[in-house]
Coordinates of all heavy atoms in Angstrom, one line a residue:
M1 N 10.8 110.1 -105.0 CA 11.9 111.0 -104.7 C 13.2 110.3 -105.0 O 13.4 109.1 -104.7 CB 11.8 111.5 -103.3 CG 12.9 112.3 -102.8 SD 12.8 113.1 -101.2 CE 13.0 111.7 -100.1
K2 N 14.2 111.1 -105.5 CA 15.6 110.6 -105.7 C 16.4 111.4 -104.7 O 16.2 112.5 -104.4 CB 16.0 110.9 -107.1 CG 15.3 110.2 -108.2 CD 15.9 110.5 -109.5 CE 15.1 109.8 -110.6 NZ 15.7 110.0 -111.9
I3 N 17.4 110.7 -104.2 CA 18.3 111.3 -103.2 C 19.7 111.3 -103.8 O 20.2 110.3 -104.3 CB 18.4 110.4 -101.9 CG1 17.0 110.3 -101.3 CG2 19.4 111.1 -100.9 CD1 17.0 109.4 -100.0
L4 N 20.3 112.5 -103.8 CA 21.7 112.7 -104.4 C 22.6 112.9 -103.2 O 22.4 113.8 -102.4 CB 21.7 113.9 -105.3 CG 23.1 114.2 -105.9 CD1 23.6 113.1 -106.8 CD2 23.1 115.6 -106.6
V5 N 23.6 112.0 -103.0 CA 24.5 112.1 -101.9 C 26.0 112.3 -102.4 O 26.5 111.5 -103.1 CB 24.5 110.7 -101.1 CG1 25.4 110.9 -99.9 CG2 23.1 110.4 -100.7
P6 N 26.5 113.5 -102.2 CA 27.9 113.8 -102.6 C 28.9 113.1 -101.6 O 28.6 113.2 -100.3 CB 28.0 115.3 -102.5 CG 27.0 115.7 -101.5 CD 25.9 114.7 -101.6
V7 N 29.9 112.5 -102.0 CA 30.9 111.9 -101.2 C 32.3 112.4 -101.6 O 32.5 112.6 -102.8 CB 30.9 110.3 -101.2 CG1 29.5 109.9 -100.6 CG2 31.1 109.8 -102.5
K8 N 33.2 112.4 -100.7 CA 34.6 112.9 -101.0 C 35.6 111.8 -100.5 O 35.4 111.3 -99.4 CB 34.8 114.2 -100.3 CG 36.2 114.8 -100.5 CD 36.4 115.2 -101.9 CE 37.8 115.9 -102.1 NZ 38.3 115.8 -103.4
R9 N 36.6 111.6 -101.3 CA 37.7 110.7 -100.9 C 38.8 111.5 -100.2 O 39.2 112.5 -100.7 CB 38.3 110.1 -102.1 CG 39.4 109.1 -101.9 CD 39.8 108.6 -103.3 NE 41.0 107.7 -103.2 CZ 42.2 108.1 -103.6 NH1 42.4 109.2 -104.1 NH2 43.2 107.2 -103.5
V10 N 39.1 111.1 -99.0 CA 40.0 111.9 -98.1 C 41.1 110.9 -97.5 O 40.9 109.7 -97.6 CB 39.3 112.7 -97.0 CG1 38.3 113.7 -97.5 CG2 38.6 111.7 -96.1
I11 N 42.1 111.5 -96.9 CA 43.1 110.7 -96.2 C 42.4 110.1 -95.0 O 41.6 110.8 -94.3 CB 44.3 111.6 -95.8 CG1 45.0 112.2 -97.0 CG2 45.2 110.8 -94.9 CD1 46.1 113.1 -96.7
D12 N 42.6 108.8 -94.8 CA 42.0 108.1 -93.7 C 42.3 108.8 -92.4 O 43.5 109.3 -92.2 CB 42.5 106.7 -93.6 CG 41.7 105.8 -92.7 OD1 40.7 105.3 -93.1 OD2 42.2 105.6 -91.6
F13 N 41.4 108.8 -91.5 CA 41.5 109.5 -90.2 C 42.6 108.9 -89.3 O 43.1 109.6 -88.4 CB 40.2 109.7 -89.5 CG 39.6 108.4 -89.0 CD1 39.9 108.0 -87.7 CD2 38.8 107.7 -89.8 CE1 39.4 106.8 -87.2 CE2 38.3 106.5 -89.3 CZ 38.6 106.0 -88.0
N14 N 43.0 107.7 -89.5 CA 44.0 107.0 -88.7 C 45.4 107.3 -89.2 O 46.4 106.9 -88.5 CB 43.8 105.5 -88.7 CG 42.6 105.1 -87.9 OD1 42.3 105.8 -86.8 ND2 41.8 104.2 -88.3
V15 N 45.5 107.9 -90.3 CA 46.9 108.2 -90.9 C 47.4 109.5 -90.5 O 46.7 110.5 -90.5 CB 46.7 108.1 -92.5 CG1 48.1 108.5 -93.1 CG2 46.3 106.7 -92.9
K16 N 48.7 109.5 -90.1 CA 49.4 110.8 -89.8 C 49.7 111.5 -91.1 O 50.4 110.9 -92.0 CB 50.6 110.5 -89.0 CG 51.3 111.8 -88.5 CD 52.4 111.5 -87.6 CE 53.3 112.6 -87.4 NZ 53.0 113.6 -86.4
V17 N 49.3 112.7 -91.3 CA 49.5 113.4 -92.5 C 51.0 113.9 -92.6 O 51.5 114.4 -91.5 CB 48.6 114.6 -92.6 CG1 48.9 115.5 -93.9 CG2 47.1 114.2 -92.6
R18 N 51.7 113.8 -93.7 CA 53.0 114.2 -93.9 C 53.1 115.3 -94.9 O 52.5 115.2 -96.0 CB 54.0 113.1 -94.3 CG 54.1 112.0 -93.2 CD 54.9 110.8 -93.8 NE 54.2 110.4 -95.0 CZ 54.4 109.3 -95.7 NH1 55.4 108.6 -95.3 NH2 53.8 109.0 -96.8
V19 N 53.9 116.3 -94.7 CA 54.1 117.4 -95.7 C 55.3 117.0 -96.6 O 56.3 116.4 -96.1 CB 54.4 118.7 -95.0 CG1 54.7 119.8 -96.0 CG2 53.2 119.1 -94.1
K20 N 55.2 117.3 -97.8 CA 56.3 117.0 -98.8 C 57.6 117.7 -98.3 O 57.5 118.8 -97.6 CB 56.0 117.5 -100.2 CG 54.9 116.6 -100.8 CD 54.6 117.1 -102.2 CE 53.5 116.3 -102.9 NZ 53.2 116.8 -104.2
A21 N 58.7 117.2 -98.6 CA 60.0 117.8 -98.2 C 60.2 119.2 -98.6 O 60.8 120.0 -97.9 CB 61.2 116.9 -98.7
D22 N 59.7 119.6 -99.8 CA 59.8 120.9 -100.3 C 58.7 121.9 -99.8 O 58.7 123.0 -100.1 CB 59.9 120.9 -101.8 CG 58.5 120.4 -102.5 OD1 57.6 120.0 -101.7 OD2 58.5 120.4 -103.7
G23 N 57.8 121.3 -99.0 CA 56.8 122.1 -98.4 C 55.7 122.5 -99.4 O 54.9 123.4 -99.0
S24 N 55.6 121.9 -100.5 CA 54.6 122.3 -101.5 C 53.2 121.7 -101.4 O 52.3 122.0 -102.1 CB 55.2 122.0 -102.9 OG 55.3 120.5 -103.0
G25 N 53.1 120.8 -100.4 CA 51.8 120.1 -100.2 C 51.9 118.9 -99.4 O 52.9 118.6 -98.7
V26 N 50.8 118.1 -99.4 CA 50.7 116.9 -98.6 C 51.3 115.7 -99.4 O 51.0 115.6 -100.6 CB 49.3 116.6 -98.2 CG1 49.1 115.3 -97.4 CG2 48.7 117.8 -97.4
D27 N 52.1 114.9 -98.8 CA 52.6 113.7 -99.4 C 51.5 112.6 -99.4 O 51.2 112.1 -98.4 CB 53.9 113.2 -98.7 CG 54.6 112.1 -99.4 OD1 54.2 111.7 -100.5 OD2 55.5 111.5 -98.7
L28 N 51.1 112.3 -100.6 CA 50.0 111.3 -100.7 C 50.5 109.9 -101.2 O 49.7 108.9 -101.4 CB 48.9 111.8 -101.8 CG 48.2 113.0 -101.4 CD1 47.2 113.4 -102.5 CD2 47.4 112.8 -100.1
A29 N 51.8 109.7 -101.3 CA 52.4 108.5 -101.8 C 52.2 107.4 -100.6 O 52.5 107.7 -99.5 CB 53.8 108.6 -102.1
N30 N 51.6 106.3 -101.0 CA 51.4 105.2 -100.1 C 50.6 105.6 -98.8 O 50.8 105.1 -97.7 CB 52.7 104.6 -99.6 CG 53.5 104.0 -100.8 OD1 53.0 103.4 -101.7 ND2 54.8 104.3 -100.8
V31 N 49.6 106.5 -99.0 CA 48.7 106.9 -97.9 C 47.4 106.2 -98.1 O 46.8 106.3 -99.2 CB 48.6 108.4 -97.9 CG1 47.6 108.9 -96.9 CG2 50.0 109.1 -97.6
K32 N 46.8 105.7 -97.1 CA 45.5 105.1 -97.2 C 44.4 106.2 -97.3 O 44.4 107.1 -96.5 CB 45.2 104.2 -96.0 CG 43.9 103.5 -96.0 CD 43.6 102.6 -94.8 CE 42.2 102.0 -95.0 NZ 41.7 101.7 -93.7
M33 N 43.6 106.0 -98.3 CA 42.4 106.9 -98.5 C 41.1 106.2 -98.1 O 41.0 105.0 -98.2 CB 42.4 107.4 -99.9 CG 43.7 108.0 -100.4 SD 44.1 109.5 -99.6 CE 43.2 110.7 -100.6
S34 N 40.2 107.0 -97.7 CA 38.9 106.5 -97.4 C 37.8 107.5 -97.7 O 38.1 108.7 -98.0 CB 38.8 106.0 -96.0 OG 38.9 107.1 -95.1
M35 N 36.5 107.1 -97.5 CA 35.4 108.1 -97.7 C 35.3 108.9 -96.5 O 35.6 108.4 -95.3 CB 34.1 107.3 -97.9 CG 33.0 108.3 -98.2 SD 31.4 107.6 -98.7 CE 31.3 106.1 -97.9
N36 N 35.1 110.2 -96.6 CA 34.9 111.1 -95.5 C 33.9 110.5 -94.6 O 32.8 110.1 -95.0 CB 34.4 112.5 -96.1 CG 34.2 113.5 -95.1 OD1 34.1 113.2 -93.9 ND2 34.2 114.8 -95.5
P37 N 34.2 110.4 -93.3 CA 33.3 109.8 -92.3 C 31.9 110.5 -92.3 O 30.9 109.9 -92.1 CB 34.0 110.0 -91.0 CG 35.4 110.2 -91.3 CD 35.5 110.8 -92.6
F38 N 31.8 111.8 -92.5 CA 30.6 112.5 -92.5 C 29.7 112.1 -93.7 O 28.5 112.1 -93.6 CB 30.8 114.0 -92.4 CG 31.4 114.5 -91.2 CD1 32.7 114.9 -91.2 CD2 30.7 114.5 -89.9 CE1 33.4 115.3 -90.0 CE2 31.3 114.9 -88.8 CZ 32.7 115.3 -88.8
D39 N 30.4 111.8 -94.8 CA 29.7 111.4 -96.0 C 29.2 110.0 -95.8 O 28.1 109.6 -96.3 CB 30.6 111.4 -97.2 CG 31.1 112.8 -97.6 OD1 30.4 113.8 -97.1 OD2 32.0 113.0 -98.3
E40 N 29.8 109.1 -95.0 CA 29.3 107.8 -94.7 C 28.0 107.9 -94.0 O 27.1 107.2 -94.2 CB 30.3 107.0 -93.8 CG 31.5 106.5 -94.6 CD 32.4 105.7 -93.7 OE1 31.9 104.9 -92.9 OE2 33.6 105.8 -93.8
I41 N 27.9 108.9 -93.1 CA 26.7 109.1 -92.3 C 25.6 109.5 -93.3 O 24.4 109.0 -93.2 CB 26.9 110.2 -91.2 CG1 27.9 109.7 -90.1 CG2 25.6 110.5 -90.6 CD1 28.4 110.7 -89.2
S42 N 25.9 110.3 -94.3 CA 24.9 110.8 -95.3 C 24.4 109.6 -96.1 O 23.2 109.5 -96.4 CB 25.5 111.8 -96.2 OG 25.9 113.0 -95.5
V43 N 25.3 108.7 -96.5 CA 24.9 107.5 -97.2 C 24.0 106.6 -96.4 O 23.0 106.1 -96.9 CB 26.2 106.7 -97.8 CG1 25.8 105.4 -98.3 CG2 26.9 107.6 -98.8
E44 N 24.4 106.4 -95.1 CA 23.6 105.6 -94.3 C 22.2 106.2 -94.1 O 21.2 105.4 -94.1 CB 24.2 105.5 -92.9 CG 25.5 104.6 -92.9 CD 26.3 104.7 -91.6 OE1 25.8 105.3 -90.7 OE2 27.4 104.1 -91.6
E45 N 22.1 107.5 -93.9 CA 20.7 108.1 -93.8 C 19.9 108.0 -95.1 O 18.7 107.8 -95.0 CB 20.9 109.6 -93.4 CG 19.6 110.3 -93.1 CD 18.9 109.7 -91.9 OE1 19.5 109.1 -91.0 OE2 17.6 109.7 -91.9
A46 N 20.6 108.1 -96.2 CA 19.9 107.9 -97.5 C 19.3 106.5 -97.6 O 18.2 106.3 -98.1 CB 20.8 108.2 -98.7
I47 N 20.1 105.6 -97.1 CA 19.6 104.2 -97.2 C 18.5 104.0 -96.2 O 17.5 103.3 -96.6 CB 20.8 103.2 -96.8 CG1 21.8 103.2 -97.9 CG2 20.3 101.8 -96.5 CD1 23.1 102.5 -97.6
R48 N 18.5 104.6 -95.1 CA 17.3 104.5 -94.1 C 16.1 105.1 -94.8 O 15.0 104.6 -94.6 CB 17.7 105.3 -92.8 CG 18.6 104.5 -91.9 CD 18.7 105.2 -90.6 NE 19.9 104.8 -89.9 CZ 21.0 105.5 -89.8 NH1 21.0 106.7 -90.2 NH2 22.0 105.0 -89.2
I49 N 16.2 106.2 -95.4 CA 15.1 106.9 -96.1 C 14.5 106.0 -97.2 O 13.3 105.8 -97.3 CB 15.5 108.3 -96.6 CG1 15.8 109.2 -95.5 CG2 14.4 108.8 -97.5 CD1 16.4 110.5 -95.9
K50 N 15.4 105.4 -98.0 CA 15.0 104.5 -99.0 C 14.2 103.2 -98.4 O 13.2 102.8 -98.9 CB 16.1 104.0 -99.9 CG 15.7 103.2 -101.1 CD 16.9 102.8 -101.9 CE 16.5 101.9 -103.1 NZ 17.6 101.4 -103.9
E51 N 14.8 102.7 -97.4 CA 14.2 101.5 -96.8 C 12.9 101.8 -96.2 O 12.0 100.9 -96.1 CB 15.2 100.9 -95.7 CG 16.3 100.2 -96.3 CD 17.4 99.7 -95.3 OE1 17.3 100.2 -94.1 OE2 18.2 98.8 -95.6
A52 N 12.7 103.1 -95.7 CA 11.4 103.5 -95.2 C 10.3 103.7 -96.3 O 9.2 104.0 -95.9 CB 11.5 104.8 -94.3
G53 N 10.7 103.7 -97.5 CA 9.8 103.8 -98.6 C 9.6 105.2 -99.0 O 8.7 105.5 -99.8
K54 N 10.4 106.2 -98.5 CA 10.2 107.6 -98.9 C 11.0 108.0 -100.1 O 10.9 109.1 -100.5 CB 10.6 108.4 -97.7 CG 9.7 108.2 -96.5 CD 10.1 109.0 -95.3 CE 9.3 108.7 -94.1 NZ 9.8 109.4 -92.9
A55 N 11.8 107.2 -100.6 CA 12.6 107.5 -101.8 C 12.7 106.2 -102.6 O 12.7 105.1 -102.1 CB 14.0 107.9 -101.4
E56 N 12.8 106.4 -104.0 CA 12.9 105.3 -104.9 C 14.4 105.0 -105.3 O 14.7 103.9 -105.7 CB 12.1 105.5 -106.1 CG 10.6 105.7 -105.9 CD 10.2 107.1 -105.6 OE1 10.8 108.0 -106.2 OE2 9.4 107.3 -104.7
E57 N 15.2 106.1 -105.3 CA 16.5 105.9 -105.9 C 17.6 106.7 -105.1 O 17.3 107.8 -104.6 CB 16.5 106.4 -107.3 CG 17.8 106.2 -108.1 CD 17.6 106.6 -109.6 OE1 16.6 107.3 -109.9 OE2 18.5 106.2 -110.3
I58 N 18.8 106.1 -104.9 CA 19.9 106.8 -104.3 C 21.0 106.9 -105.3 O 21.4 105.9 -106.0 CB 20.4 106.0 -103.1 CG1 19.4 105.9 -102.0 CG2 21.7 106.7 -102.5 CD1 19.8 105.0 -100.8
I59 N 21.5 108.1 -105.5 CA 22.6 108.4 -106.5 C 23.7 109.0 -105.7 O 23.6 110.0 -105.0 CB 22.1 109.4 -107.5 CG1 20.9 108.8 -108.3 CG2 23.3 109.7 -108.5 CD1 20.2 109.9 -109.2
V60 N 24.9 108.3 -105.7 CA 26.1 108.8 -105.0 C 27.0 109.4 -106.0 O 27.3 108.8 -107.1 CB 26.7 107.7 -104.2 CG1 28.0 108.2 -103.5 CG2 25.8 107.1 -103.2
V61 N 27.5 110.6 -105.8 CA 28.4 111.3 -106.7 C 29.7 111.7 -106.0 O 29.7 112.1 -104.9 CB 27.7 112.5 -107.4 CG1 27.3 113.5 -106.4 CG2 28.5 113.1 -108.5
S62 N 30.8 111.5 -106.7 CA 32.1 111.9 -106.2 C 32.8 112.7 -107.4 O 32.6 112.4 -108.6 CB 32.9 110.7 -105.8 OG 34.1 111.1 -105.3
I63 N 33.6 113.6 -107.0 CA 34.4 114.4 -108.0 C 35.9 114.1 -107.7 O 36.3 114.3 -106.6 CB 34.1 115.9 -107.9 CG1 32.6 116.1 -108.1 CG2 34.9 116.7 -108.8 CD1 32.2 117.5 -107.9
G64 N 36.7 113.8 -108.8 CA 38.1 113.6 -108.6 C 38.6 112.6 -109.6 O 38.0 112.3 -110.6
P65 N 39.8 112.2 -109.3 CA 40.5 111.2 -110.3 C 39.9 109.8 -110.2 O 39.0 109.6 -109.4 CB 42.0 111.2 -109.7 CG 41.8 111.4 -108.3 CD 40.7 112.4 -108.1
Q66 N 40.3 109.0 -111.0 CA 39.8 107.6 -111.1 C 39.8 106.9 -109.8 O 38.9 106.1 -109.5 CB 40.6 106.8 -112.2 CG 40.0 105.5 -112.5 CD 38.6 105.6 -113.2 OE1 38.3 106.5 -113.8 NE2 37.8 104.6 -113.0
Q67 N 40.8 107.2 -108.9 CA 40.9 106.5 -107.7 C 39.7 106.9 -106.7 O 39.5 106.3 -105.7 CB 42.2 106.9 -107.0 CG 43.4 106.4 -107.7 CD 43.9 107.4 -108.7 OE1 43.2 108.3 -109.1 NE2 45.1 107.1 -109.2
A68 N 39.0 108.0 -107.0 CA 37.9 108.4 -106.2 C 36.6 107.6 -106.4 O 35.6 108.0 -105.9 CB 37.6 109.9 -106.4
R69 N 36.7 106.5 -107.2 CA 35.5 105.7 -107.3 C 35.0 105.3 -106.0 O 35.7 105.4 -105.0 CB 35.8 104.5 -108.2 CG 36.1 104.8 -109.6 CD 36.4 103.5 -110.4 NE 37.1 102.5 -109.6 CZ 38.3 102.1 -109.8 NH1 39.0 102.5 -110.9 NH2 38.9 101.2 -109.0
L70 N 33.8 104.7 -105.9 CA 33.2 104.4 -104.7 C 33.6 103.1 -104.1 O 32.8 102.3 -103.5 CB 31.7 104.4 -104.9 CG 31.1 105.7 -105.5 CD1 29.7 105.6 -105.8 CD2 31.4 106.9 -104.6
T71 N 34.9 102.8 -104.1 CA 35.4 101.5 -103.6 C 35.4 101.5 -102.1 O 35.5 100.4 -101.5 CB 36.8 101.3 -104.1 OG1 37.7 102.4 -103.7 CG2 36.9 101.1 -105.6
E72 N 35.3 102.6 -101.4 CA 35.3 102.6 -99.9 C 34.0 102.1 -99.3 O 34.0 101.7 -98.2 CB 35.7 103.9 -99.4 CG 37.1 104.4 -99.6 CD 37.4 105.0 -101.0 OE1 36.4 105.3 -101.6 OE2 38.5 105.1 -101.3
L73 N 32.9 102.1 -100.1 CA 31.7 101.6 -99.6 C 31.7 100.1 -99.6 O 32.3 99.5 -100.4 CB 30.5 102.0 -100.6 CG 30.1 103.5 -100.6 CD1 29.1 103.7 -101.7 CD2 29.6 103.9 -99.3
P74 N 31.1 99.5 -98.5 CA 31.0 98.1 -98.5 C 30.3 97.5 -99.7 O 29.4 98.1 -100.3 CB 30.2 97.8 -97.2 CG 30.3 99.0 -96.4 CD 30.5 100.2 -97.4
Q75 N 30.8 96.4 -100.2 CA 30.2 95.7 -101.4 C 28.7 95.5 -101.4 O 28.0 95.8 -102.3 CB 30.9 94.4 -101.7 CG 30.6 93.8 -103.0 CD 31.2 94.5 -104.2 OE1 32.2 95.1 -104.1 NE2 30.5 94.5 -105.3
S76 N 28.2 95.1 -100.2 CA 26.8 94.8 -100.1 C 26.0 96.1 -100.3 O 24.9 96.1 -100.9 CB 26.5 94.2 -98.7 OG 26.9 95.1 -97.7
V77 N 26.5 97.2 -99.8 CA 25.8 98.5 -99.9 C 25.8 98.9 -101.4 O 24.8 99.3 -101.9 CB 26.4 99.6 -99.0 CG1 25.9 100.9 -99.3 CG2 26.2 99.2 -97.5
R78 N 27.0 98.8 -102.0 CA 27.1 99.2 -103.4 C 26.2 98.4 -104.3 O 25.6 99.0 -105.2 CB 28.5 99.1 -103.9 CG 29.4 100.2 -103.3 CD 30.8 100.1 -104.0 NE 31.5 99.1 -103.2 CZ 32.5 98.4 -103.7 NH1 32.8 98.5 -105.0 NH2 33.1 97.5 -103.0
D79 N 26.1 97.1 -104.0 CA 25.3 96.3 -104.9 C 23.8 96.4 -104.7 O 23.1 96.3 -105.7 CB 25.8 94.8 -104.8 CG 27.2 94.6 -105.3 OD1 27.7 95.5 -106.1 OD2 27.8 93.6 -105.0
N80 N 23.4 96.4 -103.5 CA 22.0 96.3 -103.2 C 21.2 97.6 -103.0 O 20.0 97.6 -103.3 CB 21.8 95.4 -102.0 CG 22.4 94.0 -102.2 OD1 22.3 93.5 -103.3 ND2 22.9 93.4 -101.2
L81 N 21.8 98.6 -102.4 CA 21.0 99.7 -101.9 C 21.3 101.0 -102.7 O 20.5 101.9 -102.7 CB 21.3 99.9 -100.4 CG 20.9 98.7 -99.6 CD1 21.4 98.9 -98.2 CD2 19.4 98.5 -99.6
I82 N 22.4 101.1 -103.3 CA 22.7 102.4 -104.1 C 22.5 102.1 -105.5 O 23.0 101.1 -106.1 CB 24.2 102.8 -103.9 CG1 24.3 103.2 -102.4 CG2 24.5 104.0 -104.8 CD1 25.7 103.6 -102.0
D83 N 21.6 102.9 -106.1 CA 21.1 102.6 -107.5 C 22.2 103.1 -108.5 O 22.4 102.5 -109.5 CB 19.8 103.3 -107.7 CG 18.8 102.8 -106.8 OD1 18.5 101.6 -106.8 OD2 18.2 103.6 -105.9
Q84 N 22.8 104.3 -108.3 CA 23.8 104.8 -109.3 C 24.9 105.4 -108.5 O 24.8 106.0 -107.5 CB 23.1 105.9 -110.1 CG 22.1 105.4 -111.1 CD 21.7 106.6 -111.9 OE1 22.5 107.3 -112.5 NE2 20.4 106.7 -112.1
G85 N 26.1 105.2 -109.1 CA 27.3 105.9 -108.6 C 28.0 106.7 -109.7 O 28.2 106.1 -110.8
L86 N 28.1 107.9 -109.5 CA 28.7 108.8 -110.6 C 30.1 109.3 -110.1 O 30.3 109.7 -109.0 CB 27.8 110.0 -110.9 CG 26.4 109.7 -111.3 CD1 25.6 111.0 -111.4 CD2 26.4 108.9 -112.6
L87 N 31.1 109.3 -111.1 CA 32.4 109.9 -110.8 C 32.6 110.9 -111.8 O 32.6 110.7 -113.1 CB 33.5 108.8 -111.0 CG 34.9 109.4 -110.9 CD1 35.2 110.0 -109.5 CD2 35.9 108.3 -111.2
L88 N 32.7 112.2 -111.4 CA 32.9 113.3 -112.3 C 34.4 113.6 -112.2 O 35.0 113.9 -111.1 CB 32.2 114.5 -111.8 CG 30.6 114.3 -111.7 CD1 30.0 115.6 -111.2 CD2 30.1 114.0 -113.1
K89 N 35.1 113.4 -113.3 CA 36.6 113.6 -113.3 C 36.8 115.1 -113.3 O 36.1 115.9 -114.0 CB 37.2 113.0 -114.5 CG 37.1 111.5 -114.4 CD 37.8 110.8 -115.6 CE 37.7 109.3 -115.4 NZ 38.3 108.6 -116.5
R90 N 37.8 115.5 -112.6 CA 38.1 116.9 -112.5 C 38.8 117.4 -113.7 O 39.7 116.8 -114.3 CB 39.0 117.2 -111.2 CG 40.3 116.4 -111.2 CD 41.0 116.7 -110.0 NE 42.1 115.7 -109.9 CZ 42.9 115.6 -108.9 NH1 42.7 116.3 -107.8 NH2 43.9 114.7 -108.9
L91 N 38.5 118.6 -114.1 CA 39.1 119.3 -115.2 C 39.6 120.6 -114.7 O 38.9 121.4 -114.0 CB 38.1 119.6 -116.3 CG 37.5 118.3 -116.9 CD1 36.3 118.7 -117.9 CD2 38.5 117.5 -117.7
F92 N 40.8 121.0 -115.0 CA 41.4 122.2 -114.6 C 41.5 123.2 -115.8 O 42.0 122.8 -116.8 CB 42.8 122.0 -114.0 CG 42.7 121.2 -112.7 CD1 43.0 119.9 -112.6 CD2 42.4 121.9 -111.5 CE1 43.0 119.2 -111.5 CE2 42.3 121.2 -110.3 CZ 42.6 119.9 -110.3
Y93 N 41.0 124.3 -115.6 CA 41.0 125.4 -116.6 C 41.8 126.6 -116.0 O 41.5 127.0 -114.9 CB 39.6 125.8 -117.0 CG 38.8 124.7 -117.7 CD1 37.9 124.0 -116.9 CD2 39.0 124.4 -119.0 CE1 37.1 123.0 -117.5 CE2 38.4 123.3 -119.6 CZ 37.4 122.7 -118.8 OH 36.6 121.7 -119.4
P94 N 42.7 127.1 -116.8 CA 43.5 128.3 -116.2 C 42.5 129.5 -116.0 O 41.6 129.7 -116.8 CB 44.5 128.6 -117.3 CG 44.0 127.9 -118.5 CD 43.1 126.8 -118.1
I95 N 42.7 130.1 -114.9 CA 41.9 131.4 -114.6 C 42.7 132.6 -115.1 O 43.9 132.7 -114.8 CB 41.7 131.5 -113.1 CG1 40.9 130.3 -112.7 CG2 40.9 132.8 -112.8 CD1 40.7 130.2 -111.2
R96 N 42.1 133.4 -116.0 CA 42.8 134.5 -116.5 C 42.1 135.8 -116.2 O 41.0 135.9 -116.0 CB 42.9 134.4 -118.0 CG 43.8 133.2 -118.4 CD 43.9 133.1 -119.8 NE 44.7 131.9 -120.1 CZ 45.2 131.5 -121.2 NH1 45.2 132.4 -122.2 NH2 45.8 130.4 -121.3

């Protein structure tokens, strides 16, 4: 069995969110980003399932810009327990 775990890069939960001066969105300049805490739980559970011998492969996928790579995962987890990490870059198409 293969396990597919979607993860999302979000603003760190310890950071106070600031709105841009013009009110057009969230100010992301110099803001610490991290993996969604609920996604961390999903990755940990996938690792437990693999260690129990019920799965052969873990694939982690994220969607977003280059910064959304799986850098928030600990190095030991990325190297030893996750078999593949996929980054799908976002494409925007106008809706007509």
Side-chain angles (χ1 to χ4, degrees):
M1 174 171 72
K2 295 182 182 183
I3 301 174
L4 179 67
V5 184
V7 297
K8 179 70 178 155
R9 181 176 176 255
V10 296
I11 296 174
D12 191 84
F13 67 92
N14 289 322
V15 175
K16 183 175 165 86
V17 178
R18 295 174 304 189
V19 177
K20 291 181 182 177
D22 61 1
S24 64
V26 177
D27 185 10
L28 297 177
N30 300 320
V31 173
K32 183 180 179 204
M33 304 294 277
S34 64
M35 184 172 33
N36 184 338
F38 297 106
D39 295 342
E40 285 184 43
I41 295 168
S42 298
V43 171
E44 290 170 6
E45 186 60 30
I47 291 169
R48 283 190 202 105
I49 292 170
K50 183 179 178 184
E51 288 175 339
K54 297 178 183 174
E56 299 87 37
E57 186 175 15
I58 298 174
I59 303 167
V60 178
V61 63
S62 184
I63 300 173
Q66 188 64 29
Q67 296 88 348
R69 291 184 322 247
L70 305 173
T71 55
E72 289 84 14
L73 288 174
Q75 186 72 32
S76 59
V77 171
R78 284 185 279 148
D79 290 345
N80 299 325
L81 301 170
I82 294 177
D83 301 299
Q84 290 185 50
L86 303 174
L87 173 63
L88 303 175
K89 294 186 180 178
R90 59 183 168 187
L91 299 173
F92 291 101
Y93 298 101
I95 299 174
R96 295 181 187 195

